[in-house]
Amino acid sequence: MKIIFSLLLGMHLLNAQIVVVTNKNSQLNNIPKEIIQYIYLAKIDKIESIKVEPILSDDKNLHNEFCNHILSKSESQYNSYWARLVFTGRKPISKRLDWQDLVKKLQVPNTIAYIDKNDLRNEWKIIYEEN
Amino acid sequence: MKIKNILHKITIFLLSTLPAYSNEFDIKTFGTIGGVYNDNSNYIYRKDIFQKDGSSGNLSFKTDTLIGLQTTLNINEKFSLLLQGIVNNDYNDEIKAKIDWGYLKYDSGENIIVKVGRIRTPYYKNSDNLNVGYSNLMIRESVEVYGQVPFSSYNGIEAIYSNIIDKYFYTLQANYGKENLTVPIHSLNQKANVEVNDLYAVNLTFGTTALQARVTYLNADITASSLSLDQLFGGLRAYGLNELADKYEFKDKKSEYLGFGLFLDYNNIIFSGECGHRKIPSFFANVHGYSATLGYSFDKLIPFATYAKSKMDVATYEANTGVYALDALLRAQNLAQSSETIGMKYYINEHFDIKFQYEHVVPKGDYGSYHLSTLQKPQELNVFSFALDFIF
């Protein structure tokens, strides 16, 4: 049973396509991958004069996939990178949000989050999608 | 008002306002429990020139072990007060607590940050986070580059501007301030009072998320004095050796540091290269050095190898000024050495990592090396280290 469950979970992850979304009322539209990276690496906090708040998911697999595919870093390297930012006074540690909090937070315009494309809601729009 | 008083007042302010700002007040801790074994008992292996004790044919926990605390008070969306203190083994071989840095930060939300207070000097890529082991790959950075300049913080102001051009980012950092500190000269069992005035630095980092380059320039007027130094140079002048005194006395000397760095983090390949050149026209002789690290990330495990080398611009151990005391002082400045390191970092989770590394150190020239010894002719060192880093 456990093996079947693991296989199903694995298949689900294989099918998961990560997209970066924001509220439909946001002024943000298509954003290049490099800019998404700079925002999540805290190199910049504005895109085209718009202040952006990036949020992190507490879904471990999703977060891992995001680090690997969008940021091109392992999750552990990303942790290390954040430790560097936090303990040099640059940025506070962003709390990883569960799904409900993430949905709530995305009501605020110009907040961005990465999700599985299958979970996309009507009130959101995709600003980055890996081809 | 002295900066220590200001920091003291900031600490009291942070603590007294804690109840009122409980939602905006944040405390974080970090630290390292590290052990070092150096197989050559003729040398005391140490992290930097400030340390007095370390490993000398024994297992020492003094070199890398430390605990740190960081407090942040967010006054409003743009202003915050930050303070970081550490407890470690100091240059008197005593375990002491000290405030490492603390400042008022203004974050414009427009990619501009301004800090006023006690600030880390931005010589190297990891200047700011040297004490936070969890954020670094190696247990300690190569002393051949990171050990060149004997002060790590100053009192003053820093402005940082970051932005992007097309697909490239850049960060421009400017610093101005001053610093007073005591620098131990362990090899001569002396201490020098050092005054750093009109310190200014500029730092430019640019590149992509995968490849970054960094250049730093720092300039300051520095004076180092102590009873024995004053006697030595006063004596030279009394005997009419003004030229010699002018050349080597460390008084209001325009001092410079120039550093370059290149960093790659691409497809699990990690490369880090830094080089630096210290120019201080005095007995505290000019030195240059570089280090290169190559690693590969197997998810949680990162093995790495490093080569580093430092060299004096002019070999101080050949000093022959005709004044015995001055020659002894000059010889003690020899920091020439090379080292090869292999090691690994393993991330346990988002709070802990463990590291192991082996370092082979080859001092160059008489009285050479960053590590303390009374030997004239250099000997090699084999150094084994482990560390457990944590953040909360």
Side-chain angles (χ1 to χ4, degrees):
Chain A
M1 191 65 189
K2 270 185 183 173
I3 296 170
I4 294 168
F5 180 76
S6 302
L7 282 171
L8 286 172
L9 183 67
M11 283 172 66
H12 170 74
L13 287 174
L14 281 174
N15 290 330
Q17 188 188 354
I18 295 178
V19 290
V20 179
V21 298
T22 188
N23 191 289
K24 261 194 175 156
N25 296 324
S26 165
Q27 298 152 275
L28 300 168
N29 288 304
N30 290 336
I31 307 294
K33 184 177 184 176
E34 292 82 5
I35 305 301
I36 299 288
Q37 290 175 332
Y38 290 145
I39 288 288
Y40 272 95
L41 294 173
K43 298 283 188 198
I44 52 171
D45 47 21
K46 293 184 93 172
I47 303 174
E48 292 163 3
S49 306
I50 301 163
K51 177 107 163 97
V52 177
E53 191 189 350
I55 52 178
L56 302 168
S57 166
D58 76 344
D59 182 327
K60 233 175 164 177
N61 292 319
L62 186 69
H63 181 66
N64 201 17
E65 291 286 303
F66 172 75
C67 292
N68 288 334
H69 293 111
I70 310 287
L71 299 182
S72 304
K73 287 183 185 294
S74 66
E75 187 191 353
S76 46
Q77 278 176 277
Y78 190 53
N79 284 344
S80 169
Y81 182 85
W82 264 104
R84 178 188 163 90
L85 290 178
V86 170
F87 287 101
T88 56
R90 290 293 296 273
K91 286 277 171 185
I93 288 181
S94 305
K95 197 179 164 193
R96 290 197 194 167
L97 302 181
D98 63 23
W99 180 250
Q100 279 184 329
D101 285 339
L102 188 141
V103 170
K104 203 185 289 177
K105 204 77 165 134
L106 276 172
Q107 289 173 357
V108 180
N110 306 325
T111 299
I112 66 172
Y114 48 89
I115 61 162
D116 180 345
K117 192 176 180 182
N118 294 325
D119 295 327
L120 186 66
R121 293 186 167 203
N122 286 334
E123 64 266 32
W124 301 338
K125 62 180 172 183
I126 295 172
I127 56 170
Y128 176 73
E129 179 173 7
E130 194 116 273
N131 292 322
Chain B
M1 189 186 295
K2 285 192 169 179
I3 196 75
K4 276 186 182 170
N5 291 337
I6 296 171
L7 291 172
H8 184 67
K9 283 185 165 55
I10 290 175
T11 310
I12 292 169
F13 177 74
L14 284 172
L15 293 173
S16 63
T17 51
L18 175 59
Y21 290 92
S22 56
N23 287 336
E24 291 82 21
F25 194 82
D26 183 49
I27 297 180
K28 297 193 188 311
T29 57
F30 60 91
T32 296
I33 299 165
V36 183
Y37 174 77
N38 153 35
D39 73 343
N40 190 333
S41 54
N42 290 320
Y43 283 84
I44 299 173
Y45 180 89
R46 52 187 188 157
K47 188 178 185 174
D48 55 44
I49 65 163
F50 283 94
Q51 287 190 324
K52 186 175 185 179
D53 199 12
S55 170
S56 181
N58 60 349
L59 179 65
S60 170
F61 285 89
K62 293 177 177 178
T63 310
D64 300 297
T65 302
L66 66 83
I67 186 160
L69 189 73
Q70 180 172 312
T71 59
T72 305
L73 175 66
N74 294 310
I75 300 166
N76 57 37
E77 204 177 309
K78 294 192 171 177
F79 286 94
S80 53
L81 278 168
L82 294 99
L83 199 68
Q84 191 179 96
I86 59 168
V87 178
N88 67 348
N89 189 259
D90 75 353
Y91 58 77
N92 289 319
D93 195 22
E94 291 170 1
I95 294 172
K96 283 270 174 72
K98 68 167 183 179
I99 290 172
D100 205 26
W101 53 257
Y103 49 75
L104 174 69
K105 185 175 101 171
Y106 168 74
D107 187 341
S108 72
E110 305 273 340
N111 302 328
I112 295 172
I113 292 172
V114 178
K115 302 172 184 175
V116 180
R118 184 154 183 78
I119 296 161
R120 275 259 169 185
T121 320
Y123 306 110
Y124 321 109
K125 187 195 178 198
N126 291 323
S127 291
D128 281 359
N129 56 310
L130 261 184
N131 293 321
V132 187
Y134 186 88
S135 66
N136 295 319
L137 178 58
M138 299 166 73
I139 291 177
R140 67 196 78 85
E141 297 295 334
S142 299
V143 72
E144 290 87 346
V145 176
Y146 279 67
Q148 286 187 21
V149 186
F151 63 97
S152 56
S153 302
Y154 69 96
N155 305 314
I157 186 164
E158 176 179 80
I160 303 170
Y161 178 70
S162 305
N163 214 330
I164 47 175
I165 299 174
D166 193 14
K167 291 179 178 177
Y168 305 95
F169 86 92
Y170 65 91
T171 299
L172 191 60
Q173 196 172 350
N175 307 67
Y176 182 79
K178 58 190 284 189
E179 169 69 337
N180 290 311
L181 74 160
T182 302
V183 175
I185 310 172
H186 294 303
S187 53
L188 300 175
N189 206 20
Q190 294 178 14
K191 285 177 189 171
N193 298 314
V194 176
E195 275 181 43
V196 182
N197 291 310
D198 279 335
L199 180 156
Y200 66 85
V202 286
N203 171 33
L204 174 67
T205 304
F206 58 97
T208 66
T209 54
L211 182 67
Q212 294 169 28
R214 183 180 194 279
V215 57
T216 298
Y217 175 75
L218 183 142
N219 191 313
D221 292 332
I222 307 182
T223 296
S225 62
S226 71
L227 191 60
S228 56
L229 288 174
D230 294 347
Q231 279 174 350
L232 171 63
F233 291 105
L236 291 178
R237 293 188 194 283
Y239 281 96
L241 300 169
N242 290 324
E243 201 177 319
L244 211 53
D246 289 343
K247 184 177 179 185
Y248 291 114
E249 191 172 22
F250 201 163
K251 195 171 182 183
D252 280 331
K253 289 288 173 78
K254 194 158 273 303
S255 309
E256 295 173 294
Y257 177 82
L258 182 63
F260 296 97
L262 189 68
F263 314 97
L264 177 75
D265 183 349
Y266 181 70
N267 277 356
N268 298 319
I269 297 168
I270 298 164
F271 172 80
S272 171
E274 282 188 271
C275 62
H277 191 181
R278 173 186 93 190
K279 286 172 85 173
I280 302 178
S282 69
F283 70 83
F284 201 65
N286 299 346
V287 61
H288 57 277
Y290 66 87
S291 70
T293 298
L294 187 63
Y296 190 86
S297 176
F298 297 96
D299 193 18
K300 292 189 167 189
L301 179 72
I302 307 178
F304 64 87
T306 297
Y307 181 78
K309 188 173 185 176
S310 57
K311 202 175 170 189
M312 308 308 293
D313 287 10
V314 177
T316 58
Y317 55 86
E318 291 169 350
N320 187 13
T321 61
V323 180
Y324 177 79
L326 182 59
D327 287 347
L329 179 64
L330 291 172
R331 284 179 198 136
Q333 309 305 320
N334 184 13
L335 301 175
Q337 67 172 48
S338 67
S339 64
E340 295 129 24
T341 305
I342 53 167
M344 52 140 281
K345 174 177 182 175
Y346 181 78
Y347 290 93
I348 299 170
N349 56 36
E350 58 194 89
H351 298 294
F352 293 98
D353 72 38
I354 50 170
K355 297 172 186 166
F356 298 94
Q357 67 187 47
Y358 162 71
E359 185 181 355
H360 179 233
V361 183
V362 184
K364 302 281 168 66
D366 290 1
Y367 310 102
S369 179
Y370 279 89
H371 309 297
L372 282 175
S373 172
T374 54
L375 292 176
Q376 180 180 349
K377 295 296 171 193
Q379 295 176 353
E380 297 181 4
L381 294 76
N382 293 295
V383 184
F384 302 85
S385 311
F386 63 88
L388 173 74
D389 300 311
F390 57 88
I391 54 167
F392 287 98

